[in-house]
Amino acid sequence: MMRRMTNATQWHSPATKRCRVNDMTKNLLSSAVFAGVVAGLLAALLQFVFVIPMLLEGELYETGARVHFVVDGTTMSEKGAPGLGTDWGRHLMTIAFNLVTYTGYGLILAAAMMIARQFHGAEISARAGLIWGLCGFLAVQMAPAVGLPPELPGTIAAEIGPRQAWWTGTIIATVVGLWLIAFSRGLAPVVGAVLILLPHLIGAPHLDTYYGIAPPELSAEFATVSLGTAAAGWTLLGWAVAYFLTRGDNA
Amino acid sequence: MMTNTQTLASARTGLGAAVLALTLGVALLAVSGMAQATVLHDAAHDQRHAMAFPCH
């Protein structure tokens, strides 16, 4: 790729060179958008099968339609998710925002691949894309979930500001850490590992009280199922970003 | 020398494209995941929970 670019700039006029620059940018942006749409659609589909029913069940506890711990003073609550219902506007929004979110992540992932190729000589292929996607999952979903588990609606938690700050900081620290482990030598990978650990040593913002609005089994299952769904979405995202990027290169 | 300059130039265009993509990506995520405006929050609500953004 690098050599081809160099040759191209050597033999063509400045106008053609500008064209190449535009092609490169266009390829990067369109690859990210295509991949974001594909991965976002898969993620939305999986969410409607696995995650949204639990989310709706959690809402029954959020609104008080069901109350845990109240029936006869026992710890038992009836299990069962309500149907998806007919609120198509709401569900359409969920699909739309999945596309926006995955396109956002796709753009960042594509930019990262480009930088790794230009500055570290990393080879980008659809197969390598699977690893990129999995690392994205680790940094953006898994690492923050260690401190702040995915929450059912109605979960009482610390202030939103500090949680967003810890969440963002953890993602950045994990991304930089993984990058150092993958692309640097000497002691830098060790620094990377420490960076990945650091947010968890600092600790995520939590309240000093448990509220337990929803049954713990439901919250736990919601957390794992949303992580599993995100793992699938991210793996496909990484594969697809790399696939479209390399396809655009060869066009 | 010539090749070096051009490699640098192509690296720079790659960097430009990457910075543009990064900026757009972060902007999209700010809207879909972080913005607390009520309309946005309500529309994105289920997706935020499903994707484990800190929601409210």
Side-chain angles (χ1 to χ4, degrees):
Chain A
M1 170 69 195
M2 198 89 134
R3 177 175 297 153
R4 226 189 63 197
M5 288 290 304
T6 316
N7 286 343
T9 44
Q10 231 160 13
W11 295 110
H12 294 297
S13 66
T16 330
K17 195 170 146 191
R18 245 194 320 276
C19 234
R20 280 242 152 247
V21 173
N22 286 340
D23 281 352
M24 199 175 196
T25 311
K26 242 188 265 173
N27 182 30
L28 184 67
L29 298 184
S30 60
S31 300
V33 172
F34 287 150
V37 168
V38 171
L41 283 176
L42 175 80
L45 180 72
L46 291 174
Q47 282 170 17
F48 278 104
V49 176
F50 297 108
V51 185
I52 304 290
M54 266 178 221
L55 189 147
L56 295 175
E57 190 173 354
E59 271 185 355
L60 295 178
Y61 291 94
E62 181 181 28
T63 56
R66 282 188 198 165
V67 183
H68 194 44
F69 277 112
V70 134
V71 185
D72 305 329
T74 74
T75 60
M76 285 186 283
S77 290
E78 198 186 324
K79 180 177 163 63
L84 286 179
T86 50
D87 196 348
W88 300 117
R90 172 181 180 174
H91 295 325
L92 206 63
M93 277 301 166
T94 302
I95 298 174
F97 274 102
N98 264 299
L99 298 185
V100 175
T101 298
Y102 272 96
T103 302
Y105 287 140
L107 283 162
I108 295 172
L109 203 53
M113 286 181 192
M114 199 74 134
I115 291 170
R117 180 160 68 181
Q118 299 263 5
F119 296 98
H120 301 289
E123 266 199 46
I124 302 303
S125 65
R127 252 172 61 169
L130 293 172
I131 297 171
W132 280 88
L134 281 168
C135 284
F137 167 76
L138 282 181
V140 175
Q141 311 289 152
M142 194 70 201
V146 169
L148 296 172
E151 285 176 350
L152 270 180
T155 305
I156 313 271
E159 286 290 309
I160 179 75
R163 277 188 296 136
Q164 282 184 336
W166 187 87
W167 181 85
T168 312
T170 302
I171 291 174
I172 293 171
T174 312
V175 166
V176 175
L178 287 173
W179 194 278
L180 288 176
I181 291 171
F183 297 119
S184 63
R185 293 191 191 143
L187 277 180
V190 179
V191 176
V194 172
L195 261 181
I196 293 172
L197 188 63
L198 193 63
H200 306 285
L201 292 176
I202 295 170
H206 281 291
L207 296 172
D208 49 13
T209 321
Y210 294 121
Y211 285 86
I213 305 288
E217 295 94 326
L218 180 63
S219 299
E221 244 186 287
F222 177 81
T224 49
V225 90
S226 76
L227 280 174
T229 305
W234 268 97
T235 311
L236 178 61
L237 182 71
W239 179 87
V241 166
Y243 171 80
F244 288 121
L245 266 182
T246 46
R247 220 179 70 129
D249 282 345
N250 300 329
Chain B
M1 176 65 195
M2 180 101 167
T3 315
N4 279 347
T5 331
Q6 274 158 359
T7 310
L8 198 69
S10 95
R12 223 177 265 152
T13 53
L15 193 63
V19 168
L20 177 66
L22 270 178
T23 314
L24 284 174
V26 170
L28 287 184
L29 291 171
V31 171
S32 73
M34 304 288 267
Q36 288 295 308
T38 312
V39 182
L40 258 182
H41 172 273
D42 291 352
H45 176 268
D46 293 3
Q47 182 269 152
R48 285 189 186 182
H49 276 283
M51 285 295 285
F53 286 105
C55 191
H56 40 63

